[in-house]
Amino acid sequence: ESRRWAQPVGLEPLILQGFTSLDQGGKVLAEYVLIDVDSSDGKTFDLCSKTLTLDASLGSPADLPVWGISSDDGTDVHMVPRRIYRDPFRRGDNIMVLTDCYH
């Protein structure tokens, strides 16, 4: 079975700039990123993410909360922050958080 991928769509730069420059009211978006290796063939993986809104910028991964999500089989997965990087897409004080995951 082959996958059908969505066709890329170009974004109008001025419209995109209008959204990326909106005032966030002092809030920080933390994009928790995880690698999901639960695949049927054992060779592929999915890059997944989930966004958490924080009241302020935090200094280290230890300052960020461990965040739980539900997996496809109904078990809880805990995302533990390990590294913080500046978010190159959202800019400002927003961050990307690389996580370890535990069932």
Side-chain angles (χ1 to χ4, degrees):
E1 168 185 337
S2 66
R3 290 186 177 187
R4 277 185 64 162
W5 297 98
Q7 295 298 314
V9 176
L11 298 174
E12 179 63 41
L14 291 176
I15 294 173
L16 182 61
Q17 182 181 4
F19 284 104
T20 58
S21 62
L22 287 173
D23 179 28
Q24 293 181 204
K27 302 289 184 182
V28 173
L29 299 177
E31 190 73 24
Y32 279 51
V33 178
L34 62 126
I35 297 174
D36 183 2
V37 294
D38 188 20
S39 61
S40 58
D41 64 4
K43 298 176 186 175
T44 60
F45 63 89
D46 292 322
L47 189 60
C48 304
S49 69
K50 190 170 181 178
T51 305
L52 178 66
T53 303
L54 303 170
D55 289 328
S57 183
L58 300 172
S60 76
D63 298 330
L64 291 166
V66 172
W67 200 15
I69 60 172
S70 198
S71 66
D72 292 339
D73 63 4
T75 60
D76 288 335
V77 176
H78 300 281
M79 296 183 292
V80 180
R82 296 299 182 200
R83 294 283 299 194
I84 298 175
Y85 298 95
R86 293 181 64 123
D87 190 328
F89 305 106
R90 292 186 175 129
R91 308 202 183 236
D93 290 333
N94 300 309
I95 56 175
M96 295 186 93
V97 181
L98 295 184
T99 64
D100 280 341
C101 295
Y102 302 95
H103 283 271

